[in-house]
């Protein structure tokens, strides 16, 4: 999916890829929503849409702030969520489903997540909100919060998926080693 507007300069950021150590940092809370944070979030949306993602966390673009964005529809302007300093305050049930990650291109694996969660976070206006989420949105919330704690789906996948994806991960590790 490509949503790039050719009439405007793109402010798409580079996506940090596995096994870059920046994906392993525990992110720090946002103290103040200043111009830098606002601009980061705007650029994150452009990056997410141009990559065809439904969620993106700050460490995936090289920032170590506790911020993620989500849009389960992947359509710009619709159901956009900005979650600053997010926490899951309640969760229920469990559901196994397939996930991918923009930072681990090519990896698709089954991950067990809570079926329903209540998220508490701060929006771009600095207001606290809670959101009750199920299914895909609940899954996105859990996946993105994991990123803020340095956790990736490759850590959580089953042994079968680990074996099936060993070659893919090894190739990404070699690519990273070649470029660093
Ligand atoms: Zn991810």
């Amino acid at each position: 999916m490509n949503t790039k507007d050719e009439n405007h300069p793109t402010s798409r950021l580079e996506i940090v890829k596995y096994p870059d150590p920046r994906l392993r940092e525990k992110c720090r809370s946002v103290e103040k929503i200043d111009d830098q944070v606002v601009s980061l979030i705007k650029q994150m949306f452009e990056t997410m849409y141009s990559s065809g993602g439904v969620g993106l966390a700050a460490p995936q673009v090289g920032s170590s702030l506790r911020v993620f964005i989500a849009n389960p529809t992947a359509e710009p302007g619709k159901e956009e969520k900005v979650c600053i300093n997010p926490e899951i305050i309640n969760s229920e049930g469990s559901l196994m489903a397939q996930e991918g990650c923009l930072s681990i291109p090519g990896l698709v694996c089954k991950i067990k997540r809570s079926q329903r969660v209540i998220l508490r976070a701060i929006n771009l206006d600095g207001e606290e909100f809670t959101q009750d989420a199920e299914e895909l949105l609940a899954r996105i919330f859990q996946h993105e919060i994991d990123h803020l704690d340095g956790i990736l789906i490759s850590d959580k996948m089953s042994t079968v998926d680990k074996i099936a994806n060993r070659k893919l991960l090894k190739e990404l590790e070699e690519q990273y080693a070649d470029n660093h």
Side-chain angles (χ1 to χ4, degrees):
M1 146 170 196
N2 184 4
T3 56
K4 198 167 79 184
D5 183 343
E6 301 295 344
N7 298 319
H8 292 95
T10 177
S11 50
R12 191 184 163 171
L13 301 165
E14 197 186 326
I15 294 184
V16 175
K17 305 261 165 60
Y18 172 91
D20 194 306
R22 287 175 291 174
L23 292 171
R24 295 306 192 177
E25 275 175 45
K26 186 150 170 67
C27 296
R28 62 181 195 280
S29 296
V30 173
E31 306 276 332
K32 186 168 169 271
I33 302 167
D34 55 16
D35 290 350
Q36 266 185 322
V37 172
V38 172
S39 149
L40 169 74
I41 289 168
K42 189 171 175 279
Q43 290 182 305
M44 282 172 67
F45 272 110
E46 295 200 18
T47 307
M48 181 177 78
Y49 290 135
S50 61
S51 315
V54 290
L56 188 70
Q60 294 184 276
V61 292
S63 159
S64 61
L65 292 175
R66 296 192 82 78
V67 172
F68 77 79
I69 57 165
N71 182 340
T73 70
E75 274 182 67
K78 272 191 168 178
E79 293 186 43
E80 290 179 345
K81 316 270 181 226
V82 173
C83 302
I84 299 169
N85 301 343
E87 300 174 76
I88 285 171
I89 55 170
N90 196 19
S91 59
E92 271 179 26
S94 80
L95 209 59
M96 194 84 160
Q98 282 198 333
E99 282 182 32
C101 180
L102 294 175
S103 291
I104 318 180
L107 180 68
V108 179
C109 57
K110 282 195 164 180
I111 305 285
K112 193 176 177 179
R113 302 281 188 193
S114 299
Q115 192 264 335
R116 175 171 174 247
V117 299
I118 299 175
L119 177 104
R120 180 167 62 203
I122 294 168
N123 67 18
L124 211 39
D125 299 320
E127 295 154 351
E128 190 180 283
F129 67 95
T130 57
Q131 170 130 24
D132 198 329
E134 285 188 290
E135 314 262 329
L136 178 61
L137 188 59
R139 183 165 291 273
I140 298 169
F141 285 170
Q142 293 167 84
H143 178 118
E144 303 310 332
I145 287 180
D146 273 353
H147 273 300
L148 305 182
D149 293 321
I151 299 164
L152 301 173
I153 53 173
S154 51
D155 305 329
K156 291 193 154 178
M157 63 188 178
S158 69
T159 309
V160 172
D161 278 339
K162 277 194 176 131
I163 294 165
N165 289 290
R166 193 155 42 194
K167 190 161 168 264
L168 173 87
L169 293 180
K170 198 162 181 286
E171 280 168 7
L172 291 170
E173 284 160 19
E174 283 166 3
Q175 265 174 35
Y176 180 82
D178 286 348
N179 296 324
H180 291 84

